[in-house]
Amino acid sequence: MTSAARPLRFGLVGTGHWARITHAPALASAPGVELAAVWGRDSAAAAALAARYGAAAHTEIGALLDDVDAVAFAVPPDVQAPIACRAASAGKHLLLEKPIAIDPDQGRALVREVEQAGVATLVFFTARYQDDVRAWLADVTARGPWTGGHATWLGSALQAGNPFNTPWRQDKGGLWDLAPHVISLLWAAIGPVTAVTADAGLADVTHLVLHHDSGATSAVTVTLSVPESADLAELFIWGAPGRSAAPQETVDAVIPLRTALTELAGLARAGQATHPCDVRFGYAVGAIVAEAQQQLDAARAR
């Protein structure tokens, strides 16, 4: 195999539920990439996951970076951001989870490191890599203008026994876990988001009004606290062309993650560093969420 055809060697950072059911299977099966190494805060879990896929397990991030061309992240955002900065500065391409960071300063630092290094980056806004969603976006952007949008995502991740009931979700709730996905889709469908107004309900229920540069507005409600019987995810836009509903986000995220990995490998091989869902877009979405959080915090302090 020539060097040009060599698979892009990925290190996986993270060993939790999402890493096991989505990242590792996608890395092991996406064309043009190889799951070469694993690191996790639980070294025993890292060793077990690496052994399952014939990868190397590392106990030090530096050793993992020395062993790979790119890094895929499946860790909480406060863990992801500093490691991603280090990886970018080492010239590694990045497959990031959303949000890219909680602290806006960390997000800006990551963007700077990426731009200085010239590495390729993608943020895994799951639906943005689905074929049916991409077809929907192509249709609605061709048919506008649209007057508004609406999205509701009622999730049950914070119910006892749910594998996604993790400390960072307990702390940050649906605003940080679900809203980035929704904002990403509405942004692509009816225009960049220029402002947000946020209000809180019970538990982690959050309501957002998004203002888009087109003049359109959209309304968003997210939570991770409903019982499974109340689970719901819907998003639609409306205007002169009528009403158009987005396809549902897939339950098998391995498929769109394979697409993301293949596209990242293509960017890396072509020496390209821009993509509609790259780290700059991830930062822009995160900035909207951070502004909403500031408004909620200010309201609670009054």
Side-chain angles (χ1 to χ4, degrees):
M1 180 179 291
T2 67
S3 59
R6 180 177 66 83
L8 198 70
R9 289 171 55 84
F10 269 85
L12 173 57
V13 170
T15 60
H17 182 68
W18 189 238
R20 294 193 303 272
I21 70 166
T22 302
H23 278 261
L27 285 161
S29 60
V33 308
E34 175 189 351
L35 175 53
V38 178
W39 174 90
R41 291 171 290 175
D42 182 335
S43 58
L49 186 58
R52 181 177 176 183
Y53 290 94
H58 291 287
T59 58
E60 299 291 338
I61 283 291
L64 178 137
L65 295 179
D66 289 342
D67 198 21
V68 301
D69 308 305
V71 182
F73 290 87
V75 288
D78 60 328
V79 178
Q80 171 176 258
I83 298 175
C85 281
R86 183 175 174 183
S89 68
K92 310 305 175 181
H93 308 291
L94 307 177
L95 191 289
L96 299 159
E97 279 290 345
K98 48 88 301 248
I100 65 165
I102 298 295
D103 183 341
D105 289 340
Q106 284 191 326
R108 283 190 289 270
L110 178 53
V111 172
R112 285 195 302 270
E113 290 289 354
V114 165
E115 291 183 336
Q116 289 172 6
V119 296
T121 60
L122 291 185
V123 182
F124 188 45
F125 295 103
T126 310
R128 295 291 300 273
Y129 301 93
Q130 292 179 211
D131 289 343
D132 56 352
V133 172
R134 287 179 165 182
W136 176 76
L137 286 171
D139 174 65
V140 299
T141 54
R143 288 198 296 123
W146 302 92
T147 304
H150 172 86
T152 300
W153 196 337
L154 310 180
S156 55
L158 295 185
Q159 294 299 313
N162 189 298
F164 293 104
N165 188 357
T166 54
W168 90 267
R169 289 184 177 89
Q170 294 165 11
D171 183 39
K172 298 301 180 182
L175 173 62
W176 286 92
D177 188 33
L178 301 181
H181 287 293
V182 172
I183 294 168
S184 168
L185 273 183
L186 289 168
W187 189 303
I190 56 179
V193 178
T194 58
V196 60
T197 302
D199 198 3
L202 299 175
D204 74 319
V205 173
T206 305
H207 308 284
L208 306 176
V209 175
L210 305 176
H211 295 262
H212 300 260
D213 71 348
S214 62
T217 54
S218 54
V220 173
T221 296
V222 291
T223 178
L224 293 173
S225 297
V226 302
E228 288 186 12
S229 59
D231 276 350
L232 172 71
E234 63 177 13
L235 184 151
F236 62 84
I237 60 175
W238 55 274
R243 183 170 66 88
S244 183
Q248 291 287 307
E249 184 169 305
T250 180
V251 296
D252 184 4
V254 172
I255 296 171
L257 184 52
R258 284 195 200 107
T259 298
L261 290 165
T262 300
E263 291 182 3
L264 180 61
L267 292 173
R269 291 192 180 95
Q272 298 176 358
T274 60
H275 185 278
C277 292
D278 63 19
V279 70
R280 286 162 285 271
F281 180 67
Y283 173 75
V285 171
I288 297 298
V289 176
E291 169 60 25
Q293 185 68 68
Q294 288 184 352
Q295 293 179 23
L296 297 178
D297 292 344
R300 293 187 183 106
R302 289 200 290 268

